[in-house]
Amino acid sequence: MEKEEFQKAFVLACRFLSDTIGCPKIYTEEEDIQGCTSDGENCEKEDQWECWQHYFLERVSTEEVCRICGCTQDNACPGGCWWIKEDLCSSCYEKLKSQSAS
Ligand SMILES: [Zn+2]
Ligand SMILES: [Zn+2]
Ligand SMILES: [Zn+2]
């Protein structure tokens, strides 16, 4: 898949989340989201997809996330997984291996 398509998919997902949930503050413990005007209750920001973008970009810069499935240290794949590389988990590694073998 093209990088641009991934980027579009990312911003689309953020819009979807803002439409369905609202501001990420509602669902996350994140205290400090750039540009977010939430005081713990409602975010007054009109473009709440921006809150989601800041939230996710902040997360990938501060914690390890699998580049394929998006699992993290606190949210591993079903059955458990571990890091093969800093951005590749064992479940995805196994999948890649079996795909390239066939
Ligand atoms: Zn917000
Ligand atoms: Zn993975
Ligand atoms: Zn995983």
Side-chain angles (χ1 to χ4, degrees):
M1 203 185 289
E2 297 292 325
K3 272 214 169 102
E4 281 149 47
E5 286 189 316
F6 256 108
Q7 192 187 334
K8 267 197 242 173
F10 169 67
V11 297
L12 185 64
C14 288
R15 174 166 291 274
F16 174 79
L17 286 165
S18 75
D19 285 347
T20 51
I21 295 174
C23 177
K25 279 255 174 132
I26 296 167
Y27 253 80
T28 69
E29 304 286 299
E30 202 62 57
E31 285 302 311
D32 198 29
I33 298 170
Q34 195 189 330
C36 181
T37 57
S38 169
D39 55 4
E41 290 282 314
N42 284 314
C43 178
E44 303 289 316
K45 202 171 162 67
E46 203 172 310
D47 296 325
Q48 292 182 355
W49 49 267
E50 282 186 0
C51 297
W52 283 103
Q53 288 188 12
H54 287 306
Y55 168 68
F56 285 128
L57 290 171
E58 177 68 22
R59 280 197 63 175
V60 295
S61 73
T62 55
E63 68 182 298
E64 288 173 322
V65 179
C66 175
R67 67 180 146 89
I68 293 179
C69 71
C71 73
T72 63
Q73 195 67 31
D74 296 333
N75 191 9
C77 293
C81 62
W82 59 92
W83 299 113
I84 298 290
K85 293 184 189 163
E86 63 179 18
D87 64 350
L88 181 64
C89 81
S90 54
S91 320
C92 293
Y93 176 74
E94 292 299 326
K95 242 181 260 170
L96 286 176
K97 240 185 14 185
S98 63
Q99 274 169 12
S100 60
S102 62

